[in-house]
Amino acid sequence: MTLELYKLPGCPYCAKVETKLDELGLDYVEHEVPSSHSQRDEVEEVSGQTGVPVLVDTDHGIEGMPESDDIVEYLEETYGA
């Protein structure tokens, strides 16, 4: 399983996703993005936008899911009990 999370330190939306990942006991790779949106080329390549958080789940064909609420719902549906 390869989960990747693009995040910004101190971002409450990113923290919400990290909390859900931890609650579900999921391993993931963190990518800290620059604070400046204009420098977030990697995030834009993955998701088509520069906001964070962005989740990548290659095992399930998720190449760049934005929006913390959507990510949390996806994680619960896919990996929850």
Side-chain angles (χ1 to χ4, degrees):
M1 169 174 46
T2 307
L3 289 170
E4 299 178 55
L5 179 64
Y6 291 84
K7 60 172 249 179
L8 183 66
C11 164
Y13 304 105
C14 300
K16 178 179 180 177
V17 173
E18 287 181 289
T19 298
K20 181 52 67 177
L21 286 161
D22 293 341
E23 280 177 10
L24 295 170
L26 299 171
D27 292 326
Y28 60 99
V29 177
E30 291 183 7
H31 300 283
E32 287 193 8
V33 302
S35 56
S36 171
H37 281 260
S38 64
Q39 297 176 346
R40 296 182 184 174
D41 297 336
E42 190 176 3
V43 176
E44 191 168 9
E45 285 177 25
V46 168
S47 67
Q49 47 92 55
T50 58
V52 288
V54 168
L55 181 76
V56 175
D57 184 353
T58 53
D59 289 354
H60 291 91
I62 302 297
E63 296 179 359
M65 177 183 286
E67 300 298 332
S68 59
D69 289 340
D70 293 344
I71 295 170
V72 167
E73 183 178 337
Y74 166 78
L75 291 170
E76 288 173 345
E77 289 176 2
T78 307
Y79 297 103

